[in-house]
Amino acid sequence: MHAAPSITARLRWKLATGGEITGSPVVKDGVVYACSKDRWVYALDAEKGTGTARTS
């Protein structure tokens, strides 16, 4: 998973997951939520890509 603003397309952060991201990530209150084929849901700080939390 990675983040890049659409205007500059410069990579801001990326995160290796155990599987392909399924569907579109959702951003709410500065947190990115994404489901992966590794059967985990990831929650990351949208600006920094840090604070990895995951749950099955």
Side-chain angles (χ1 to χ4, degrees):
M1 179 167 44
H2 62 274
S6 59
I7 295 171
T8 64
R10 192 185 101 192
L11 183 66
R12 296 185 73 177
W13 56 262
K14 66 180 178 178
L15 173 75
T17 64
E20 179 182 346
I21 298 298
T22 58
S24 296
V26 174
V27 180
K28 178 156 175 61
D29 297 329
V31 179
V32 178
Y33 299 92
C35 298
S36 173
K37 285 190 175 180
D38 63 4
R39 302 177 81 177
W40 290 96
V41 176
Y42 292 85
L44 308 166
D45 180 285
E47 289 294 315
K48 301 175 187 171
T50 59
T52 304
R54 63 182 199 169
T55 185
S56 59

